[in-house]
Amino acid sequence: ELQLVESGGGLVQPGRSLRLSCAASGFTLGDYAMHWVRQPPGKGLEWVSGISWNSGIIDYADSVKGRFTISRDNAKNSLYLQMNSLRLEDTALYYCAKDSGRSAYDRPNYFDYWGQGTLVTVSS
Amino acid sequence: DIQMTQSPSSLSPSVGDRVTITCRASQSISTWLNWYQQKPGRAPRLLIFAASSLQSGVPSRFSGSGSGTDFTLTISSLQPEDFATYYCQQSYSSRISFGQGTRLEIK
């Protein structure tokens, strides 16, 4: 059974850092692009970042560009999100999501599997 | 960046109603439009991809249509388990974006 399990969330002060992980099982992570999507409490979905199967194509939302870094270790079947200079508005449930293709240009592409999320709370 | 606008923001239909949700893109996205359903405390679930293709396991009462900038999600006969929030998502750009969501509330 395909599973995505996020970890690494928690309470952190503004300006500090946090690293999220997403462990994949039931499929070969290296065959697919992966993404991070976040959802502030009571609000809608916001795409954060995406990475192609071989890390050759990486994109970020403007709201996190320069502060967050997405990476992957296909040998470990794991996806990561390094979050630096955290702000109050970064408070959200962070989901990792599997793309249907190898990159954003592998059309059609969509998010066919999602983890259950890890909560990041930025507060002083 | 491509902006996605859904309407309405919320809806209060009855069981058995035909429901239509609209999504508009700020520029043409061909048919690279996906629809997701999210229930409280749960991760989103893919319903429709590439504007009109039904994801495996999704009931046939769900359908999607549209191309260019205007898209619709239709639920032909609303069931109790369909009360949820629905999001559109464009995958035309590698910088993916979602609509703000449409919440279906029990009347």
Side-chain angles (χ1 to χ4, degrees):
Chain A
E1 181 193 0
L2 193 152
Q3 265 198 317
L4 296 168
V5 179
E6 302 92 338
S7 61
L11 175 63
V12 62
Q13 292 179 325
R16 303 299 289 266
S17 300
L18 211 55
R19 189 193 196 209
L20 305 184
S21 299
C22 173
S25 60
F27 72 104
T28 302
L29 186 81
D31 286 342
Y32 299 96
M34 295 292 294
H35 302 265
W36 288 99
V37 176
R38 68 184 181 183
Q39 185 168 37
K43 297 191 176 181
L45 301 172
E46 180 189 14
W47 174 81
V48 172
S49 182
I51 184 169
S52 65
W53 67 285
N54 62 354
S55 305
I57 302 171
I58 290 175
D59 288 288
Y60 298 97
D62 285 342
S63 57
V64 306
K65 199 166 189 176
R67 300 188 299 122
F68 289 12
T69 302
I70 191 172
S71 63
R72 62 192 297 158
D73 186 335
N74 290 340
K76 294 184 177 179
N77 254 15
S78 292
L79 175 72
Y80 306 102
L81 186 68
Q82 177 67 42
M83 303 187 296
N84 298 333
S85 303
L86 282 161
R87 303 169 180 168
L88 297 177
E89 55 266 32
D90 294 321
T91 293
L93 185 64
Y94 284 73
Y95 293 103
C96 70
K98 172 188 167 294
D99 198 299
S100 55
R102 291 191 166 214
S103 80
Y105 304 104
D106 221 4
R107 305 286 176 67
N109 63 309
Y110 43 87
F111 298 176
D112 52 3
Y113 289 93
W114 299 64
Q116 287 306 303
T118 186
L119 183 63
V120 173
T121 304
V122 184
S123 175
S124 53
Chain B
D1 287 356
I2 300 174
Q3 309 302 318
M4 306 300 294
T5 304
Q6 288 180 232
S7 60
S9 295
S10 64
L11 210 47
S12 298
S14 299
V15 172
D17 283 354
R18 181 181 181 89
V19 172
T20 298
I21 299 169
T22 296
C23 178
R24 176 164 287 177
S26 59
Q27 68 179 74
S28 177
I29 58 170
S30 184
T31 57
W32 306 128
L33 189 284
N34 309 313
W35 290 97
Y36 299 84
Q37 176 194 65
Q38 187 180 34
K39 295 182 178 180
R42 303 288 297 274
R45 170 199 180 197
L46 176 69
L47 297 177
I48 302 281
F49 64 92
S52 60
S53 295
L54 193 68
Q55 172 69 343
S56 175
V58 174
S60 59
R61 62 180 179 273
F62 291 93
S63 64
S65 64
S67 66
T69 60
D70 293 316
F71 301 86
T72 58
L73 172 71
T74 299
I75 309 172
S76 60
S77 178
L78 197 70
Q79 298 302 300
E81 60 268 31
D82 300 336
F83 288 94
T85 301
Y86 294 83
Y87 295 93
C88 62
Q89 175 210 44
Q90 66 80 17
S91 57
Y92 176 86
S93 166
S94 61
R95 291 161 61 90
I96 286 166
S97 49
F98 290 90
Q100 81 280 15
T102 296
R103 185 177 176 188
L104 296 191
E105 301 171 304
I106 298 173
K107 196 167 188 177

